[in-house]
Amino acid sequence: MRAVKKIVNSTLFKITSLNSFSVGLKIGIGLITSKILAIFVGPGGMALVGNLRNFLTSLESISILGFQNGIVKYIAENQKNEEELKKIIATVFISLVCTALILSGILYFFASFWNDKILEHNGDNALVFRVLALALPWYTVSVFLLSVLNGLSKFTKVIWVNITGNLIGLAVSLVMILKFHTLGALLAIVITPSLLFFVTFYFVQKEIQFLKIIRLQSYDFTIIKNLLPYSLMALVSSVLGPIVLLAVRNNLIEKLGLDQAGFWETMTRISSYYLLFVSTILTVYFLPKLSKAQDNDQTKSIFWQFYKTILPVFCFGLLVIYFSRYFIIQLLFTKEFLPVTSLFFWQLIGDVFKVAALILGYQFFAKKLTKAFIITELFSLGTLYFLSLLFVNYYGIEGMVMAQALDNFLYFVVLAVYFRKCLI
């Protein structure tokens, strides 16, 4: 009984419980939006949504200059150093706003070009990119503010921002998809994130006098130099990664057709829902802890805390998902999407290795291991690309998830070998 009470009263349990509620809410919202997408846009529209999401991932990473994890690290390290904290916040904010405004101009004035490249041969959706141009600065600042909250170890508030964002996303998606169908789905994707600015600003302003901190004289280029390694890491994972996925999806469209690519996007969408549980708790709880770890013993303790608590629960959840796959597809989508059930086995196998590798990968950011991160990430992306080309030729759409599973396994093995001193 004492052991149970200790677990229940632990910070990890409290944060995990609230995070589970947040993820559960997002999955519940996903059930609604996925069903509406399935009815109003179909598999082909799902593939277009996937292309736009990949593009946004790259764009968002560029707009925040890849600083997100670096911001968490330096804010966490300087919580008690008020002057340094002010310099970090002012410097990063000014840099990000300038970058976002430049990117917005490129998006707005070349909207037709981006429409042809990202949503090729699917009508004139240039409006989507013009709206994105107007929304991007607000979104960039909201991501920055959320990273500040995370760095300040305000875990609960970070999760409440995510919960609020999910509810806003549901409302916007329902209105836009029901009214404009595929165009509405695309517009909802670009509008929703920017609305989070108002939520994050409210929570940050309660912690620090944000508007009083932002002063041009506080700008310190040394801080930008210290954050540059994070930019390099982000360019590889958050920019090259989605580009590889775009190339892979376009190969699927060319070889197997738009609907088959839509089935893979559907599987990826389902995967993203349950992976939220792990990725959120890693960012909110484990990354700040890894950043503060002083030696291999402390790091080892954090790694094994993850493997003993989070990973077993995740694996059990995957078993439930696998045996419920037919129910899940018919609940979330329509009978037209039933071929997706054949993709679950390899997707779930791959996701086990993906999650096992995630905690190790966060050590790259926590300790600013730029060179090692870039080499391993390029290895993973290159492996995924070439395996997908090979396996799709032999096994069709199932070959795509087989390629992902093998790539995730190889990536985990590489990281386990590299960080062996922190595991054994």
Side-chain angles (χ1 to χ4, degrees):
M1 182 63 72
R2 186 176 297 174
V4 173
K5 188 176 181 180
K6 184 178 179 182
I7 292 171
V8 170
N9 290 330
S10 68
T11 303
L12 177 58
F13 180 83
K14 291 176 181 178
I15 293 171
T16 303
S17 300
L18 181 58
N19 181 63
S20 298
F21 171 72
S22 174
V23 173
L25 178 64
K26 186 172 181 66
I27 291 173
I29 289 171
L31 294 176
I32 300 170
T33 54
S34 295
K35 190 75 174 182
I36 293 173
L37 278 171
I39 294 170
F40 287 96
V41 309
M46 200 75 76
L48 294 182
V49 167
N51 268 12
L52 183 60
R53 284 188 186 279
N54 287 151
F55 174 72
L56 282 178
T57 301
S58 295
L59 180 66
E60 290 160 1
S61 182
I62 295 171
S63 72
I64 200 166
L65 296 172
F67 290 169
Q68 192 169 356
N69 289 315
I71 295 167
V72 175
K73 173 182 170 62
Y74 285 113
I75 294 290
E77 289 178 347
N78 292 279
Q79 286 186 46
K80 297 179 181 178
N81 188 339
E82 189 175 334
E83 285 305 310
E84 189 65 21
L85 195 63
K86 287 180 179 179
K87 284 201 294 184
I88 293 170
I89 293 173
T91 301
V92 176
F93 176 82
I94 292 168
S95 301
L96 295 184
V97 168
C98 291
T99 303
L101 291 174
I102 292 170
L103 290 173
S104 291
I106 295 171
L107 279 171
Y108 191 88
F109 293 109
F110 297 94
S112 296
F113 168 82
W114 296 113
N115 175 60
D116 293 339
K117 289 295 179 183
I118 309 302
L119 307 173
E120 52 183 317
H121 312 305
N122 288 286
D124 183 14
N125 291 308
L127 173 65
V128 173
F129 295 93
R130 292 195 180 96
V131 172
L132 175 58
L134 299 175
L136 185 62
W138 301 95
Y139 172 74
T140 301
V141 175
S142 75
V143 173
F144 165 66
L145 294 176
L146 196 61
S147 297
V148 171
L149 276 177
N150 202 359
L152 292 171
S153 300
K154 302 300 177 182
F155 306 131
T156 304
K157 291 184 178 180
V158 171
I159 296 172
W160 276 112
V161 169
N162 290 328
I163 290 171
T164 307
N166 292 335
L167 294 173
I168 292 172
L170 173 63
V172 173
S173 296
L174 284 175
V175 172
M176 300 302 288
I177 294 170
L178 290 173
K179 192 165 186 178
F180 302 109
H181 297 185
T182 301
L183 176 61
L186 299 175
L187 286 172
I189 291 171
V190 302
I191 291 172
T192 303
S194 63
L195 299 178
L196 273 180
F197 165 80
F198 301 100
V199 184
T200 51
F201 181 79
Y202 169 77
F203 281 113
V204 168
Q205 192 65 17
K206 292 183 73 173
E207 297 298 326
I208 55 175
Q209 295 298 310
F210 181 76
L211 295 178
K212 292 182 180 179
I213 291 175
I214 306 303
R215 295 289 182 269
L216 194 58
Q217 56 265 36
S218 297
Y219 193 93
D220 185 352
F221 189 71
T222 304
I223 292 169
I224 300 300
K225 286 174 65 178
N226 290 335
L227 288 168
L228 283 179
Y230 293 96
S231 288
L232 291 175
M233 289 190 273
L235 284 172
V236 175
S237 63
S238 299
V239 177
L240 288 183
I243 288 172
V244 168
L245 291 178
L246 269 171
V248 166
R249 188 180 291 102
N250 286 336
N251 177 62
L252 287 176
I253 293 171
E254 183 182 334
K255 295 280 181 65
L256 306 176
L258 193 62
D259 282 357
Q260 290 290 309
F263 293 146
W264 176 57
E265 174 59 29
T266 301
M267 186 69 254
T268 303
R269 188 180 180 88
I270 295 169
S271 172
S272 70
Y273 288 148
Y274 56 71
L275 284 173
L276 274 172
F277 171 80
V278 180
S279 61
T280 308
I281 202 68
L282 275 168
T283 303
V284 170
Y285 182 81
F286 285 96
L287 177 58
K289 278 189 165 293
L290 286 170
S291 297
K292 294 176 183 177
Q294 299 296 317
D295 52 40
N296 286 343
D297 287 338
Q298 289 183 8
T299 302
K300 179 180 177 180
S301 174
I302 295 167
F303 282 165
W304 284 106
Q305 183 186 23
F306 176 84
Y307 287 132
K308 290 177 181 178
T309 57
I310 305 299
L311 189 60
V313 174
F314 179 74
C315 290
F316 176 76
L318 292 190
L319 279 174
V320 174
I321 289 170
Y322 179 75
F323 289 112
S324 308
R325 62 192 185 280
Y326 287 96
F327 171 75
I328 290 170
I329 290 299
Q330 293 186 73
L331 178 66
L332 269 67
F333 305 97
T334 63
K335 290 183 178 180
E336 188 181 6
F337 288 80
L338 280 175
V340 176
T341 55
S342 65
L343 307 181
F344 270 73
F345 178 78
W346 288 107
Q347 181 71 44
L348 300 184
I349 292 293
D351 285 340
V352 170
F353 291 112
K354 184 172 186 175
V355 166
L358 272 176
I359 183 69
L360 301 176
Y362 268 69
Q363 180 71 347
F364 288 128
F365 294 100
K367 301 306 178 189
K368 204 160 65 172
L369 302 171
T370 310
K371 186 177 179 180
F373 173 83
I374 291 174
I375 291 172
T376 54
E377 196 72 10
L378 287 176
F379 164 78
S380 178
L381 291 173
T383 301
L384 175 62
Y385 179 72
F386 289 109
L387 284 178
S388 69
L389 295 181
L390 179 65
F391 284 18
V392 166
N393 282 338
Y394 285 99
Y395 304 106
I397 191 63
E398 284 187 59
M400 187 61 241
V401 284
M402 292 169 68
Q404 285 179 298
L406 182 54
D407 174 55
N408 288 337
F409 170 72
L410 293 173
Y411 184 64
F412 169 67
V413 170
V414 169
L415 293 195
V417 171
Y418 186 81
F419 291 115
R420 60 191 179 279
K421 291 182 180 178
C422 298
L423 288 170
I424 301 173

